[in-house]
Amino acid sequence: QKEVEQDPGPLSVPEGAIVSLNCTYSNSAFQYFMWYRQYSRKGPELLMYTYSSGNKEDGRFTAQVDKSSKYISLFIRDSQPSDSATYLCAMSGGTASKLTFGTGTRLQVTL
Amino acid sequence: NAGVTQTPKFQVLKTGQSMTLQCAQDMNHNSMYWYRQDPGMGLRLIYYSASEGTTDKGEVPNGYNVSRLNKREFSLRLESAAPSQTSVYFCASSDAGRILYGYTFGSGTRLTVV
């Protein structure tokens, strides 16, 4: 069993929809959580990061962490075609630890 | 532009040939990483260098070697390429001890071994 599980999709939604992307993990030591966005034929880029449990909002994006359930989510409001990309979750147990990545969820936002 | 630069962007090799993938960062980061990305497998760590002068194996090191040439540069070498090494390779760097800033990735090298 992988330390981080992520549904690969693809997930197809109409423009303007609310999107929910999720990851589950098994390592209770994880306390730093991130979301990366990867456009086709590009490298991943950091989208959001959170520490420990709770919510963090940045524009149309909200990252949510539930450490008791070992479950993290990324919500995208008013989704746009430009949001079409692969979204990877990543997490770490400490400031000097390496990141463990999920396999990514491919999102397609249609007009 | 500041960031991670990878060369080449594309490469086709014949089985048994060797090549070196180059990576350089200009953000004064201590740590550097090499990943491969395959459909359905996500990012898999090949090798990493926590600081200049050190290298360590990751999840899938077989068939690869690395060199941390200096603080800026981290190269990945395939000594005898195999079709199983067909993949997209990403180099990344990070500021040691500042995990919340995440990793900065290059744009990737698409390698095909025939």
Side-chain angles (χ1 to χ4, degrees):
Chain A
Q1 184 185 1
K2 293 182 179 180
E3 273 191 303
V4 179
E5 299 279 358
Q6 188 174 7
D7 189 327
L11 180 62
S12 183
V13 301
E15 183 180 10
I18 296 174
V19 176
S20 173
L21 303 166
N22 311 295
C23 287
T24 59
Y25 63 94
S26 57
N27 188 343
S28 57
F30 287 148
Q31 53 183 328
Y32 298 91
F33 304 93
M34 298 167 196
W35 286 95
Y36 281 79
R37 179 175 60 195
Q38 184 177 20
Y39 289 116
S40 180
R41 296 181 174 268
K42 299 290 186 182
E45 56 180 350
L46 182 64
L47 186 62
M48 293 188 70
Y49 62 83
T50 57
Y51 170 66
S52 195
S53 288
N55 293 358
K56 182 176 181 180
E57 189 174 319
D58 184 2
R60 296 184 295 111
F61 297 89
T62 299
Q64 191 173 78
V65 175
D66 182 350
K67 290 189 71 179
S68 63
S69 301
K70 296 190 180 66
Y71 189 87
I72 69 170
S73 300
L74 177 70
F75 297 96
I76 306 174
R77 291 183 299 280
D78 187 26
S79 55
Q80 303 295 310
S82 58
D83 296 327
S84 298
T86 296
Y87 291 80
L88 300 97
C89 62
M91 45 199 81
S92 170
T95 57
S97 300
K98 297 189 299 300
L99 288 176
T100 300
F101 286 88
T103 52
T105 299
R106 189 157 62 91
L107 172 67
Q108 181 74 36
V109 180
T110 57
L111 291 170
Chain B
N1 292 336
V4 177
T5 302
Q6 290 183 238
T7 55
K9 294 190 184 304
F10 302 93
Q11 185 71 48
V12 178
L13 288 179
K14 293 182 179 179
T15 297
Q17 286 185 320
S18 63
M19 80 162 294
T20 300
L21 281 64
Q22 306 286 354
C23 175
Q25 54 90 10
D26 59 5
M27 296 169 287
N28 202 36
H29 284 170
N30 300 97
S31 304
M32 298 186 74
Y33 313 84
W34 275 106
Y35 286 89
R36 58 178 291 173
Q37 188 175 40
D38 303 288
M41 304 292 287
L43 288 165
R44 291 185 290 170
L45 183 64
I46 305 171
Y47 270 94
Y48 67 100
S49 172
S51 61
E52 186 179 356
T54 68
T55 60
D56 285 290
K57 295 179 180 180
E59 183 184 353
V60 289
N62 291 346
Y64 305 95
N65 284 301
V66 291
S67 296
R68 183 73 182 267
L69 304 171
N70 47 56
K71 191 172 185 179
R72 289 186 64 245
E73 299 172 287
F74 189 37
S75 63
L76 178 71
R77 183 161 178 84
L78 287 70
E79 292 291 351
S80 179
S84 61
Q85 295 178 306
T86 293
S87 187
V88 182
Y89 291 85
F90 288 102
C91 178
S93 69
S94 69
D95 199 352
R98 302 180 75 182
I99 194 66
L100 280 179
Y101 290 86
Y103 294 359
T104 302
F105 285 85
S107 57
T109 295
R110 290 183 171 273
L111 175 66
T112 302
V113 182
V114 298

